[in-house]
Amino acid sequence: MNEKKTVLFTLTGEGDDVKIGEAGRIIREGGLVAFPTETVYGLGGSAYFPGAAAKIYAAKGRPSDNPLIVHVSDPREAEDFAVVPDAYRRLAERFMPGPLTVVLEKKDVIDRSVTGGLDTVAVRCPDHPAARALIKAAGCPIAAPSANRSGSPSPTCAAHVMADLSGRIDAVIDGGECRIGVESTVISLDGDGGCTVLRPGGVTAEMLARAVGAVRVAGAVTDPALCGDKPLSPGMKYKHYSPKATVVAFDGTDGEMIDAANSDPRESVGVITSDKNAGALRRALLSVGEDSEDAFCHAFFSLLRRADEEGLGVVYVRLPPKTGKYLALYNRLIRASGGKITKAKES
Ligand code: TXA
Ligand code: MG
């Protein structure tokens, strides 16, 4: 790929309209711009411009059968390119803008290069003012995967994007750190009015159940071995979120994990955990801050990147419960560990 100069638009509160207007023009004309959302940074291209999706796949080094999410500035814009059932409207009213992506039947205006060859399209309305302003400025829906090189942790600040994609894309909008830190919840709608969670995120299965009734969680969310050759969502089958360090997904108590890390014979060992465990730990602490699901989700990807920056060879993370937003962390963690779970007594 030819190196190009990647322009950085830093949002400061002054002249931001002009910067976002310029970024929108780049997208409208077929270029690529990375932008902040409330979940992670996205790598955006026009969902309508021929060849833009191919450029996104090339910049990321992503397999082109893994479909892109199409971002809108208002949930009603989905009608332009997707068949919209009532269930979508109900979910949109309750959860959009926000970290929810809904898979719908696509219309012809969306090329199959955007949807990885599928007849469905994933729609999301991000809860970030700069993201929605960019979509409006571009004047078209924006196809955007996470703005990382394929396989590496999703970016939660502009520096992560620059580290992965500088020289490969036209511009990056720096809007600071992402609030949530893990990608959106992806669901498909089922015939009975319920839905299936294909990828867990900030809109939890419990929240969805209160809104739509029957909520299933795809087996591959907690067990990558279950995804099979024809997964419900192509993203399920790829190894993901892997830093260079070996990630140990530890099934045990905090105390058991700290003991295991302290006595691990390997040299450069780190532990992603909360501040409350700092005192007992004799290895590198990668702290999420307070002990909460929001804090773990917010910091997880960023700390995987930090582990590599600090040259750590092994990183321990305790497997969280499979409930609430912790389900998103559970899913990202087992994928970062390559599907391997280390039980307390084996370690
Ligand atoms: O929070 C997010 O969703 C971020 C920000 C940038 O919006 N985007 C993101 O995109 O995480 P990406 O491409 O990294 O992940 C999209 C996921 C993949 O697992 C993909 O397989 C799934 O959504 N997906 C997209 N279109 C689909 C479709 N038509 N059917 C099933 N799954 C689909
Ligand atoms: Mg991604």
Side-chain angles (χ1 to χ4, degrees):
M1 164 166 281
N2 290 332
E3 281 271 313
K4 57 172 93 181
K5 169 133 180 49
T6 299
V7 179
L8 189 60
F9 295 114
T10 303
L11 302 183
T12 58
E14 248 173 67
D16 290 350
D17 292 359
V18 177
K19 296 169 194 165
I20 289 176
E22 173 61 10
R25 183 191 60 75
I26 294 172
I27 289 194
R28 192 165 57 247
E29 294 177 358
L32 303 187
V33 178
F35 61 96
T37 81
E38 79 281 28
T39 58
V40 301
Y41 274 70
L43 173 56
S46 166
Y48 292 160
F49 195 95
K55 280 201 208 169
I56 292 175
Y57 290 115
K60 275 182 67 93
R62 174 178 178 133
S64 59
D65 66 346
N66 192 1
L68 307 176
I69 292 175
V70 176
H71 296 69
V72 292
S73 67
D74 181 300
R76 285 169 295 195
E77 292 161 19
E79 319 231 354
D80 296 345
F81 57 85
V83 179
V84 172
D86 280 342
Y88 169 87
R89 290 193 191 91
R90 278 199 302 277
L91 286 163
E93 210 158 284
R94 178 77 187 73
F95 298 113
M96 293 185 193
L100 179 68
T101 297
V102 184
V103 175
L104 300 173
E105 191 185 324
K106 81 170 194 69
K107 291 182 178 167
D108 285 344
V109 293
I110 293 279
D111 192 79
R112 284 203 176 74
S113 60
V114 173
T115 63
L118 299 175
D119 292 328
T120 52
V121 60
V123 183
R124 154 158 154 75
C125 181
D127 185 17
H128 193 294
R132 289 207 307 282
L134 177 68
I135 298 163
K136 285 201 187 103
C140 57
I142 294 182
S146 48
N148 51 288
R149 289 295 286 268
S150 192
S152 71
S154 293
T156 56
C157 66
H160 297 161
V161 179
M162 288 303 262
D164 277 19
L165 298 174
S166 179
R168 305 174 72 87
I169 62 177
D170 297 290
V172 178
I173 298 175
D174 183 351
E177 248 184 59
C178 300
R179 179 166 54 84
I180 296 178
V182 292
E183 308 90 334
S184 63
T185 304
V186 180
I187 62 169
S188 60
L189 301 177
D190 301 330
D192 60 359
C195 67
T196 299
V197 176
L198 306 176
R199 180 180 71 181
V203 172
T204 65
E206 294 84 348
M207 288 158 74
L208 289 164
R210 284 194 290 273
V212 297
V215 176
R216 299 150 196 99
V217 177
V221 162
T222 51
D223 183 356
L226 291 179
C227 102
D229 293 339
K230 268 206 166 277
L232 293 172
S233 179
M236 288 172 169
K237 73 180 178 215
Y238 295 109
K239 187 169 184 221
H240 254 66
Y241 317 124
S242 308
K244 294 186 194 76
T246 300
V247 175
V248 177
F250 192 89
D251 186 2
T253 62
D254 272 352
E256 287 166 331
M257 176 179 66
I258 304 290
D259 287 347
N262 283 345
S263 59
D264 192 309
R266 289 168 288 191
E267 215 167 85
S268 47
V269 175
V271 180
I272 294 180
T273 187
S274 61
D275 282 338
K276 75 168 203 252
N277 293 312
L281 187 63
R282 294 195 302 277
R283 312 307 293 251
L285 169 66
L286 298 162
S287 179
V288 303
E290 67 171 41
D291 190 26
S292 71
E293 56 182 14
D294 285 341
F296 269 92
C297 288
H298 177 75
F300 180 63
F301 285 138
S302 171
L303 292 175
L304 289 183
R305 283 178 182 258
R306 170 111 56 87
D308 282 349
E309 283 159 23
E310 294 184 4
L312 297 176
V314 186
V315 181
Y316 281 73
V317 194
R318 191 186 150 199
L319 266 184
K322 296 180 197 169
T323 52
K325 291 180 209 162
Y326 272 133
L327 183 63
L329 181 72
Y330 188 105
N331 169 259
R332 305 320 187 265
L333 174 56
I334 49 164
R335 302 192 62 189
S337 74
K340 186 167 186 285
I341 291 174
T342 301
K343 292 221 189 312
K345 55 185 179 312
E346 295 166 8
S347 62

